[in-house]
Each structure stands twice: as structure tokens, then as C-alpha cells.
């Protein structure tokens, strides 16, 4: 048995972008930043930011586009899905 669940708490890096599929389903994308404070080799604290691309569907997508905006704090629960593609230079990206 396996389970794929992710919980993220962070800040929106951009306003949500709402669009609709040809079938009429709402899709919303935005970036989410999480911050972590770590000690470096010299003992100094450094803030480390990790960026996530979030995709919401249907009612969640429409609600996110209405109520969320850049800089707002959000709590997200969902599944982690990794996509791979080849860029214009022929490099494999994730």
C-alpha cells in the first residue's frame, strides 16, 4: 500500500491564474513559497525558500481565483505529482 499526501503552508508568489479547459472545467495555477531557517557551516542562520507550483481544479480553482492574491498565506493539502519535459535546448526538466 502507498499513500501520496502533501501539506504546504506558505505565501503566494503570484496572483492565481484561472482558465478553463475545452470541456469547461476550471483550472487555477499559482506559485507557493515556503521558508525554512537553517544554520550554515559558519553557524549563521540562513533563510531557505522552496517554490512549489500548485494546480487546483473545479470549485477549488474558482474559489482560489476569487479570494487569493499575491502575498497571502495559504494552507494546501493534496498530492505531489512530478512532471518531466524537454526544453527548447533539449534538456530534461522537472
Amino acid at each position: 500500500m502507498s499513500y501520496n499526501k502533501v501539506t504546504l503552508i506558505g505565501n503566494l508568489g503570484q496572483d492565481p491564474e484561472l482558465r478553463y479547459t475545452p470541456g469547461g472545467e476550471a483550472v487555477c495555477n499559482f506559485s507557493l513559497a515556503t521558508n525554512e531557517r537553517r544554520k550554515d557551516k559558519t553557524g549563521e542562520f540562513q533563510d531557505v525558500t522552496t517554490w512549489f507550483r500548485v494546480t487546483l481544479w473545479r470549485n477549488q480553482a474558482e474559489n482560489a481565483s476569487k479570494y487569493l492574491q499575491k502575498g497571502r498565506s495559504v494552507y494546501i493539502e493534496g498530492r505531489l505529482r512530478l512532471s518531466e519535459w524537454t526544453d527548447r535546448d533539449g534538456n530534461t526538466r522537472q
Side-chain angles (χ1 to χ4, degrees):
M1 183 172 152
S2 63
Y3 191 67
N4 183 355
K5 182 177 179 180
V6 175
T7 302
L8 299 170
I9 301 172
N11 297 314
L12 265 65
Q14 65 185 38
D15 288 334
E17 299 172 10
L18 181 65
R19 61 184 172 82
Y20 291 89
T21 66
E25 287 188 315
V27 181
C28 182
N29 294 308
F30 56 87
S31 59
L32 176 75
T34 61
N35 296 308
E36 181 180 355
R37 187 166 267 241
R38 295 183 188 166
K39 278 189 181 180
D40 63 12
K41 293 178 182 178
T42 64
E44 298 286 326
F45 281 103
Q46 299 293 322
D47 288 327
V48 178
T49 302
T50 304
W51 288 93
F52 297 89
R53 292 287 301 155
V54 177
T55 303
L56 302 175
W57 291 86
R58 300 177 193 88
N59 290 341
Q60 288 181 338
E62 291 175 339
N63 287 334
S65 71
K66 284 182 195 175
Y67 299 112
L68 298 180
Q69 55 189 297
K70 181 178 178 177
R72 297 276 308 260
S73 294
V74 295
Y75 174 95
I76 301 287
E77 280 189 12
R79 292 183 304 246
L80 183 63
R81 184 176 297 163
L82 186 63
S83 300
E84 288 189 9
W85 70 93
T86 304
D87 65 12
R88 294 180 185 165
D89 299 327
N91 300 318
T92 301
R93 306 281 305 244
Q94 293 183 350

